[in-house]
Amino acid sequence: MKCYICAEEGKSTDAVAICIVCGMGLCMDHAIRHETELWTGGYPFPAEKIEETIPRILCKYCAMALKKGAPKGG
């Protein structure tokens, strides 16, 4: 698989990751690591936030969308 963003730029670079949201192949230069919060608790609502995070890989488009959708002050 090749990096989609590099392909848009006319380059051919092997992908090393896949965006967790849209599935786009990404090279090391275009993969964005995002730390996702963990919550614990029962259904239907989480009870408390855990200190640890889970790393997720995003493309620049999904990272921008996630940042725009984040609550103010958080």
Side-chain angles (χ1 to χ4, degrees), residues 8 10-11 14 22 25 28 32 38-39 41 57 64-65 67 74:
E8 287 182 322
K11 298 183 277 184
D14 288 336
C22 70
M28 287 297 291
I32 299 169
L38 284 175
W39 292 79
I57 303 298
M64 285 189 309
K67 189 172 185 177

Side-chain angles (χ1 to χ4, degrees), residues 64-74:
M64 285 189 309
L66 184 65
K67 189 172 185 177
K68 285 182 183 178
K72 302 286 187 248

Side-chain angles (χ1 to χ4, degrees), residues 17-61:
I18 297 173
C19 176
I20 192 72
V21 177
C22 70
M24 182 184 298
L26 301 164
C27 68
M28 287 297 291
D29 291 337
H30 292 115
I32 299 169
R33 182 181 169 130
H34 173 77
E35 297 295 326
T36 303
E37 296 175 341
L38 284 175
W39 292 79
T40 186
Y43 179 82
F45 300 107
E48 64 181 87
K49 186 173 157 182
I50 298 174
E51 289 185 30
E52 296 130 17
T53 59
I54 297 175
R56 300 289 188 204
I57 303 298
L58 300 170
C59 68
K60 66 181 181 179
Y61 306 113

